[in-house]
């Protein structure tokens, strides 16, 4: 297993994970297989269980492991390790730091935090998920982690922390997390155009609250007030088969097409400039991407990585023109990275349980000489 984890760390490095010596040591030390003791769902829908062929090799791949499914919908998992590494690096954990974790998952992320020297309080609303995380942490001999069953929106009332990390997609940040965390940051995946870019959030429970983007991601969504609709909400991702036929509207403009990260940068900008931007599976194409969705939810315009635009539905021309304008605007701005945006959050959502959600964006000046 030591060799398997060593190869695992090298795989994370090859995939671009920002592994400090301390973080690499944590991934090498924590036995991920103990955190999926009841197995996980393979991508083909079958269930992989300990002791079966290829189980441990699959555990030590840079891949998400779905560990709980409700009515064919994934509701708990062990996140993709390279994404976990990026989020942990963004958290800037130091030995002795007190960390609030919202969403216990399998307990693996908390174990990595403990290996970095943090003292962790993890909160999960699902009692069975919390209990399995406790059992896995005990089996792995991890100390310094408490797993509580409770509403993640409330955090850990009466306690204070140096950092907070959220492992489920949300529409905004609970004021309770901000009130309990000093100096921060809170590292949290916040909904934007049908995805969940990870933000580093700073501020107080009463505001002001600001954020910057750490990286792109996609997470399972939380429930309750953490996913409340607000004035800057984007449409939910569009399921396969929901869109009408799309036809070419504007020709390609980039050869070769944008790479994955640059396309995500354009996607993020589309979400800044259009409240109708979201994620959709494109009809008659084995691809998905950013779409400006019309009000009926069956048409609009899609922006492809080569800069071409497809459009469909009764409002195809209007949405196609909006898509072209977004591409032009992104080009004129110098193709800004999603990390270039400074975000201001506003209190919104359910009045009885409000959230701080992204409300305005500005581009930070490029570094001198950049």
């Amino acid at each position: 297993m030591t060799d398997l984890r060593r190869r695992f760390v090298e795989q994370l490095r090859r995939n671009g994970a920002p592994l400090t010596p301390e973080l690499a040591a944590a991934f090498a030390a924590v036995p991920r297989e103990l955190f999926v003791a009841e197995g996980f769902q393979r991508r083909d829908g079958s269930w992989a269980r300990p002791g079966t062929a290829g189980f441990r090799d699959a555990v030590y791949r840079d891949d998400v492991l779905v560990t709980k499914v409700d009515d064919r919908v994934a509701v708990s998992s062990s996140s993709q390790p390279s994404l976990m590494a990026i989020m942990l690096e963004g958290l800037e954990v130091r030995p002795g730091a007190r960390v609030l974790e919202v969403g216990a998952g399998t307990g693996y992320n908390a174990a990595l935090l403990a290996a970095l020297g943090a003292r962790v309080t993890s909160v999960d609303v699902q009692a069975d998920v919390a209990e399995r995380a406790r059992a896995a942490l005990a089996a792995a001999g991890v100390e310094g982690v408490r797993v509580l069953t409770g509403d993640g929106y409330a955090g850990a009332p009466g306690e204070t922390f140096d950092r907070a990390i959220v492992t489920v997609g949300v529409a905004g940040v609970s004021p309770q997390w901000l009130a309990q965390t000093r100096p921060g940051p809170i590292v949290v995946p916040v909904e934007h155009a049908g995805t969940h870019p990870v933000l580093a959030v700073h501020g107080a429970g009463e505001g002001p609250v600001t954020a910057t983007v750490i990286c792109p991601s996609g997470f399972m969504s939380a429930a309750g007030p953490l996913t409340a609709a607000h004035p800057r909400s984007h449409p939910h991702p569009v399921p396969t088969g929901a869109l009408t036929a799309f036809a070419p509207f504007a020709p390609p403009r980039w050869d070769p097409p944008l790479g994955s990260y640059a396309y995500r940068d354009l996607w993020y900008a589309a979400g800044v400039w259009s409240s109708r931007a979201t994620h959709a599976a494109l009809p008659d194409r084995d691809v998905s991407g950013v779409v400006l969705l019309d009000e009926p939810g069956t048409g609009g315009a899609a922006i492809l990585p080569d800069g071409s635009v497809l459009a469909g539905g009764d409002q195809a021309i209007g949405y196609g023109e909006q898509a072209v304008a977004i591409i032009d605007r992104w080009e004129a701005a110098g193709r800004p990275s999603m990390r270039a945006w400074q975000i201001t959050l506003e209190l919104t959502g359910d009045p009885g349980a409000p959230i701080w959600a992204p409300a305005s964006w500005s581009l930070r000046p490029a570094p001198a000489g950049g």
Side-chain angles (χ1 to χ4, degrees):
M1 290 303 299
T2 300
D3 288 341
L4 193 55
R5 288 201 289 271
R6 186 179 300 116
R7 292 196 296 272
F8 177 53
V9 170
E10 291 308 312
Q11 179 186 165
L12 298 183
R13 284 200 177 98
R14 288 195 302 273
N15 290 351
L19 295 183
T20 62
E22 295 80 9
L23 193 50
F27 276 105
V30 177
R32 194 184 190 200
E33 72 278 6
L34 295 183
F35 293 87
V36 287
E38 297 180 17
F40 57 89
Q41 187 182 59
R42 298 186 183 95
R43 291 191 176 272
D44 64 4
S46 63
W47 204 260
R49 299 193 181 278
T52 57
F55 177 81
R56 288 194 288 192
D57 285 337
V59 166
Y60 286 102
R61 291 193 189 114
D62 186 21
D63 202 0
V64 61
L65 304 179
V66 173
T67 54
K68 183 181 178 182
V69 179
D70 184 9
D71 192 24
R72 293 186 293 182
V73 176
V75 294
S76 188
S77 69
S78 177
S79 298
Q80 184 177 9
S82 57
L83 175 58
M84 296 171 74
I86 294 169
M87 293 176 68
L88 291 171
E89 177 67 12
L91 200 63
E92 301 176 355
V93 176
R94 300 291 182 267
R98 297 162 299 172
V99 177
L100 170 66
E101 180 187 54
V102 177
T106 65
Y108 181 60
N109 191 66
L112 293 169
L113 282 164
L116 293 170
R119 291 175 288 156
V120 185
T121 298
S122 186
V123 182
D124 203 291
V125 71
Q126 301 178 80
D128 59 333
V129 170
E131 182 53 41
R132 281 197 291 269
R134 289 189 200 101
L137 289 159
V142 176
E143 298 181 351
V145 178
R146 292 184 305 153
V147 182
L148 308 178
T149 302
D151 182 359
Y153 176 88
E159 301 191 37
T160 58
F161 303 93
D162 303 300
R163 304 280 191 273
I165 186 168
V166 182
T167 63
V168 62
V170 297
V173 176
S174 167
Q176 308 303 320
W177 305 342
L178 291 160
Q180 294 166 19
T181 305
R182 289 289 188 281
I186 296 174
V187 172
V188 51
V190 176
E191 189 280 328
H192 182 89
T195 64
H196 291 101
V198 178
L199 306 185
V201 177
H202 293 272
E206 65 278 8
V209 181
T210 61
T212 55
V213 181
I214 293 176
C215 67
S217 78
F219 272 82
M220 301 171 192
S221 292
L226 289 171
T227 51
H230 58 83
R232 284 294 308 183
S233 292
H234 295 90
H236 292 300
V238 182
T240 301
L243 293 178
T244 188
F246 275 32
F249 182 86
R253 62 172 73 188
W254 300 311
D255 184 16
L258 298 175
S260 174
Y261 279 98
Y263 181 60
R264 291 284 183 170
D265 293 335
L266 172 58
W267 188 328
Y268 190 88
V272 171
W273 294 324
S274 172
S275 63
R276 299 303 302 172
T278 191
H279 176 270
L282 300 182
D284 303 321
R285 292 170 180 260
D286 189 23
V287 295
S288 63
V290 60
V291 168
L292 307 185
L293 190 66
D294 64 14
E295 293 296 335
T298 57
I303 301 173
L304 302 187
D306 63 4
S308 62
V309 174
L310 310 176
D314 293 341
Q315 303 173 60
I317 294 176
Y319 278 94
E321 290 173 344
Q322 289 179 43
V324 170
I326 284 171
I327 299 171
D328 290 341
R329 189 173 179 180
W330 186 66
E331 283 272 38
R335 300 189 180 188
S337 161
M338 64 175 65
R339 297 169 185 80
W341 294 94
Q342 179 71 36
I343 307 163
T344 300
L345 288 74
E346 292 183 357
L347 203 59
T348 185
D350 181 350
I355 53 176
W356 287 94
S360 61
W361 293 258
S362 60
L363 284 169
R364 292 180 289 173

